[in-house]
Amino acid sequence: MPGRRAVLAGLAAAGLAPGSVSAKGSLGTFRRGDFDMVGVFDIDWLVEPRMVRMLDAMAASPGAFGAVRVFGVLNAGEREATFPVSSGSTWPAPDAPMDFAAPLAALEALVSRGLVPFLPLAFFPAAVSPRPIDPPADFGRWQVLIRGFLDAAVARFGAAEVARWWLEVWNEPNMPPFWGGGFDRYLEFYRATAAAVRDAGHAVRLGGPVIAWMPDEGPALMRRFLEFLRDEPGLPCDFLSYHRKGVWVEAEGAPRIARLVEAAEATAAMARALVPGRRLALVNDEADMKVGFDAPYAPRLDERFPSWLAASAIAHAALSLRHGQRFLAAADNANQHLVRAPFDGRRALFTRTAAGPEDLLKLPVFGFYEMLRLLGDRVLSIEPGPAFYAMTTAGEAGIAALLTLQEGTARRLRWEASDIPWPRANLAVFRIDGRRSNAFAAAGREMPGRVDAAAARRLRRVAELGVQAPLRPGLVPRGGRVALDLDLSPHATLLVWLTPFDPAPPAAPAGLGAEPRGGDLLLRWQPDRSPGFYAYELRRRAGAGPWRRIAPMPLRGAEWVDTAPPAGPLEYRLRAVSASGLRSAAVTLRR
């Protein structure tokens, strides 16, 4: 990988091998927010029950998810599955009033859960163009629409909140299903959109050109956009966005992280040469394994997807360290509306069960985001591939190392941390592989499958992010060191988490409640946001019977579906468990 030697040379100069780190060291900053975004095609789905269920499950794990990229904010009003075909109802005619009620309600579903909207400014309502993808002859009404939307958003959410959002101009203007004009016309469109944003007078983040990065035209189109910015230095642009995936068609073979890195490197080099005065973040906001989120693809269902995202995050973090600018990567993997059957291979965070589309079962990819929330903001070491990817970070919660193997044979490696400042420490190793944290594997890897109530009860437990061994609290680092040997099979992803021992018990969970969902019971409570949080312990008893643990250990999210609980009086007991192995006082709920 170009430039990889420079990163490794930095490690060598610090006296570190990729598997041995000093808690005192620092190679630079790591931003979880550069990798915690997911994507949904159409904004109208966000208020649909299965999407609300998905968003609630995401919010139950604070810090795992940070942003949602969602289309259709300007032609909202009709749910679209994969391509823009509707003009929506936001502005049906030039003499009609603009109505942003639908998109603002959908954005409320994100903002109220602490999720940052990432909004492609697309597609055209009928008042602007007869077709949602065809640019009009004149952009005057489009500019009125942009100013009206920004005014409405600021009035609803406040200027400070809207300033956190990401706005990108259109989507894939080099792809006919999304843009009916040529690239020159897109540049005119960007100029008009940027002017409207500037005239609105609100502080926002704006970017483009959102191209589909294909080898025959990706570099050339990005260069044209950067030359456009060079020639118009007053034009607002805060980030460059593009879509480069691991594989375009099946005939190209297995997905390759190198394709993502090559596109990022090429874009960065062009930006440095053409617009050196702009500090542009680079965003690959569809950095998925392959094209076609509505086409069944087995690797989305198993350990290969979290391994892909872990490798992508580490590779882009290495680019950020090397170039001193932000390289972001995200997956378009929250299209829950496309899932038609259990384990049908469509790109989503959850699959569904036989109980219905709102009864969701976590896919292994969810575990990647659970791991991501534990990483710190200071990079201690990094190994950015091409087969083995590893990064160790430090932060408020302790020391965390993310490791994955994208290809090759199984490895045994030694991970060691030195200069640990705590007299006692706790150790957990979270793992996603062909057996752990993997409901698809536990279901027999059949695509599609069938998940009845009995299977759902069993699969929910294995779908949660698991550990390869029980939590080890209260370790005494010898000479300030902790070392462990790790087995890493291809596409396994590990998160080593080392935390300071704290003798104080955690606070008891608050807000425990339950609501019936068909024959199941959905239990929810307020999530624990403390750095030393490890898990929840949830038990149930029927009548005067014994207490039985009904959720796995660890349970990281602040919710659980009790599948087909027994009839009669039920009592639930919930405790928080700290990384030091201490349990909180119990809270109970009777049904």
Side-chain angles (χ1 to χ4, degrees), residues 401-472:
L402 180 66
L403 309 95
T404 195
L405 187 61
Q406 269 285 289
E407 58 187 37
T409 58
R411 299 188 182 190
R412 186 166 180 80
L413 55 97
R414 188 169 183 80
W415 181 86
E416 182 178 291
S418 62
D419 300 315
I420 296 172
W422 323 306
R424 299 175 70 192
N426 317 304
L427 177 65
V429 181
F430 298 92
R431 187 180 186 103
I432 308 170
D433 59 19
R435 183 169 61 89
R436 297 175 182 87
S437 317
N438 196 329
F440 182 54
R445 296 183 182 268
E446 293 185 11
M447 190 179 77
R450 175 168 175 77
V451 182
D452 58 18
R457 182 184 296 108
R458 175 177 60 90
L459 294 176
R460 283 194 214 283
R461 299 178 68 91
V462 74
E464 294 294 326
L465 180 63
V467 292
Q468 69 174 27
L471 174 71
R472 296 171 60 190

Side-chain angles (χ1 to χ4, degrees), residues 1-13 265 318 322 382-386:
M1 184 174 80
R4 174 173 172 267
R5 292 181 179 177
V7 174
L8 298 182
L11 296 177
E265 289 275 23
R322 183 181 310 138
I382 194 163
E383 167 58 67

